[in-house]
Amino acid sequence: MRELRLASLFAVAVLAGCVEVSKKERADTATVRTAPAIAVTRVNRGTYGMASQVRWILSPDSTVIVAVVDPAGVENDALPNAFFFGSETRNFQARMDSVWDVAPSPDWQSIAFSRAYIVSVPELDSIPPDAWVTLSRRTGIDTATLRTGSFPTSGMVTAHGVAQPGVIRVPADVRAPGATDAAAPRLFPISRGWRVRWTADGKTIALGNNPGSSNDDATSETWAALDPATGSYHGTLPEKTALLIPKWTKGPRLEMSVPVDVSGAQPINVRAGNRTFSIESSGGVITARETTAGAPEKPPYTIGPGKTLAATRGGRFILALAPRTNLVGTEMPVEAVVYTVGW
């Protein structure tokens, strides 16, 4: 009896929980405490593959961060990514596994992404019809569209990927009635989006064509247009349409056989309200040392294990590498995490 494996890599946006955390942290700031409230979020709860590239981007005012873990399989086969989004000004954060790509809008108030699915049947030469039917039920996309829109994700076994575009609208006030529902990811019944971009005016999401190979870092050469407000889809973009290309900062590349040093990093200076801090990493521990002019000297606050990679302007979101908890077998011994700090 053949074994059929359908890997539908569901995206999970941590929205309702993050709203609740934000409410509590904001309430805490009204009281006097000796140490900040700290929560930790794993950026990627899925596989790190044979190697993973960690990267991030900050908004022009450095109050918003998007962090990505981009894994690849054997022979650089395509694997889904994961991302974390955190906004200080809007008191909002979201995390999602199983995406091919992600891009913040020009105003940093929306997040475009493409949800990743992989249909894999290693022992067969083609994907059987019932696998497409199952995926159709989960995506709301008809089987014919899924087939024609799929692409190979492995050069070794029968595995096809599908991209489904979506968008998250960042609420202006997470405490407003219905804000959580309004910020829920909206998926579109379209099978395209290996890469996603925004047009310069922020009105259109550009959906990249399928990769020409199973290579994880393959690019898109042509683009379709999606209106995220109406869901209208057009198979091509007008000529000379300006697309915003996110200027990612590449962090460490995590590989199974290469040790990663998490003992120390350069300090990052942040300002939380009227107070300033130096976020420091030493001996595998991240701390926050207050540097406010005139403040009495006192021991630094402990943020958590690991070393810092980046932080938002107010230090609310700190991206770091940390030892993986509950390490199993041959898993990557370190992982990307975000510390959310309520000063």
Side-chain angles (χ1 to χ4, degrees), residues 15-343:
L15 298 172
C18 292
V19 170
E20 182 61 29
V21 169
S22 297
K23 286 181 182 177
K24 290 179 180 178
E25 288 167 352
R26 176 165 290 187
D28 286 345
T29 60
T31 63
V32 177
R33 59 171 180 266
T34 58
I38 300 169
V40 60
T41 302
R42 300 169 62 198
V43 177
N44 181 20
R45 296 178 185 172
T47 180
Y48 272 69
M50 295 300 294
S52 286
Q53 178 68 59
V54 180
R55 63 178 187 268
W56 64 88
I57 186 173
L58 291 164
S59 62
D61 63 1
S62 297
T63 63
V64 187
I65 187 172
V66 182
V68 170
V69 173
D70 182 357
V74 179
E75 297 187 352
N76 203 33
D77 283 349
L79 289 176
N81 305 340
F83 75 84
F84 174 95
F85 175 96
S87 171
E88 291 183 338
T89 55
R90 298 213 165 187
N91 199 31
F92 176 86
Q93 68 184 66
R95 191 205 67 84
M96 185 175 287
D97 281 325
S98 304
V99 297
W100 294 121
D101 202 11
V102 61
S105 61
D107 61 5
W108 290 79
Q109 295 177 19
S110 296
I111 312 161
F113 64 91
S114 56
R115 184 170 170 176
Y117 300 90
I118 294 179
V119 182
S120 177
V121 191
E123 67 277 11
L124 299 179
D125 294 330
S126 62
I127 306 297
D130 54 338
W132 295 117
V133 171
T134 300
L135 186 56
S136 175
R137 291 170 180 161
R138 292 176 172 175
T139 61
I141 303 172
D142 64 88
T143 57
T145 300
L146 289 173
R147 283 195 185 96
T148 57
S150 67
F151 49 87
T153 58
S154 174
M156 301 175 63
V157 299
T158 302
H160 285 247
V162 169
Q164 182 177 20
V167 67
I168 296 173
R169 299 291 190 185
V170 180
D173 182 0
V174 296
R175 298 168 298 175
T180 301
D181 292 337
R186 179 187 178 188
L187 289 162
F188 301 91
I190 300 167
S191 181
R192 194 162 186 175
W194 167 247
R195 296 289 181 253
V196 294
R197 300 284 185 268
W198 287 88
T199 55
D201 60 9
K203 295 180 179 179
T204 303
I205 298 174
L207 304 178
N209 69 304
N210 290 344
S213 69
S214 61
N215 204 314
D216 187 72
D217 51 13
T219 59
S220 292
E221 301 299 330
T222 59
W223 303 84
L226 172 65
D227 184 335
T230 65
S232 298
Y233 172 77
H234 300 281
T236 59
L237 271 176
E239 289 188 18
K240 299 182 180 179
T241 299
L243 299 182
L244 294 182
I245 302 175
K247 296 180 179 180
W248 298 99
T249 297
K250 283 191 175 183
R253 180 176 171 83
L254 308 178
E255 300 184 39
M256 295 293 297
S257 58
V258 180
V260 178
D261 182 12
V262 296
S263 60
Q266 291 295 317
I268 300 175
N269 296 318
V270 302
R271 175 177 290 275
N274 296 322
R275 304 168 73 191
T276 59
F277 296 89
S278 175
I279 309 301
E280 301 172 350
S281 306
S282 179
V285 178
I286 301 170
T287 59
R289 179 173 58 85
E290 185 162 5
T291 57
T292 307
E297 185 175 349
K298 53 187 175 182
Y301 301 122
T302 298
I303 302 297
K307 73 172 184 179
T308 55
L309 298 176
T312 48
R313 186 175 69 186
R316 180 171 176 80
F317 301 107
I318 301 172
L319 174 64
L321 283 185
R324 184 190 288 267
T325 57
N326 302 319
L327 183 64
V328 177
T330 58
E331 288 181 337
M332 203 77 68
V334 297
E335 62 181 345
V337 301
V338 173
Y339 291 106
T340 302
V341 185
W343 299 103

